[in-house]
Amino acid sequence: MNNPNWAVRIVAVPPGEAPLWVRQKWVGLDLPVMRYAAHRKMLAFGVLSILQSWPAQWAAILRGRAERVAGYAVAAAPAIGILAKASPEAAAWWRENTPHLIAPKRYLVFHEEVCRIADI
């Protein structure tokens, strides 16, 4: 389901719970798209407010506490690795404040309005 020939280029500061200076460091980076080459609507949580257990996340979804986001999912660990090459300080913020997100099968969702599809 992964398409290694597609990437999203971050063209504007993404919205989110990370500090502005950290979010600004994503601009200009190409991140490989995971799962789907086209954008889709997904249920998402903020990177700081996400509940860490799957049962708690499902309960939050059922209570309507997840945000519906039209965007692109990228694997978190490789994305942070790409960010680290451009800004070690911003990658360090992610590693220190959201270590639970930098794991296999964890994704960051970038809103469609801050992305452009680019071939890599």
Side-chain angles (χ1 to χ4, degrees):
M1 295 197 39
N2 297 342
N3 185 345
N5 298 318
W6 286 90
V8 288
R9 176 165 295 145
I10 309 304
V11 296
V13 178
E17 295 179 339
L20 177 61
W21 73 268
V22 172
R23 292 182 286 122
Q24 288 172 329
K25 300 301 182 180
W26 289 112
V27 177
L29 299 183
D30 290 338
L31 305 174
V33 174
M34 302 303 290
R35 295 193 181 246
Y36 305 95
H39 84 280
R40 63 180 296 207
K41 291 186 178 180
M42 297 164 256
L43 293 174
F45 295 97
V47 298
L48 296 175
S49 61
I50 188 171
L51 301 164
Q52 293 189 28
S53 76
W54 287 108
Q57 287 179 19
W58 279 110
I61 289 169
L62 292 173
R63 284 188 236 121
R65 296 179 68 198
E67 177 185 1
R68 185 172 286 287
V69 175
Y72 301 90
V74 300
I80 300 304
I82 292 167
L83 178 63
K85 292 177 185 174
S87 175
E89 301 85 7
W93 182 91
W94 284 93
R95 290 184 182 114
E96 291 168 15
N97 294 281
T98 64
H100 55 284
L101 294 180
I102 306 169
K105 297 185 182 179
R106 291 296 205 159
Y107 300 91
L108 300 176
V109 177
F110 288 86
H111 291 65
E112 68 180 335
E113 63 268 13
V114 303
C115 298
R116 297 291 178 268
I117 290 290
D119 285 322
I120 58 170

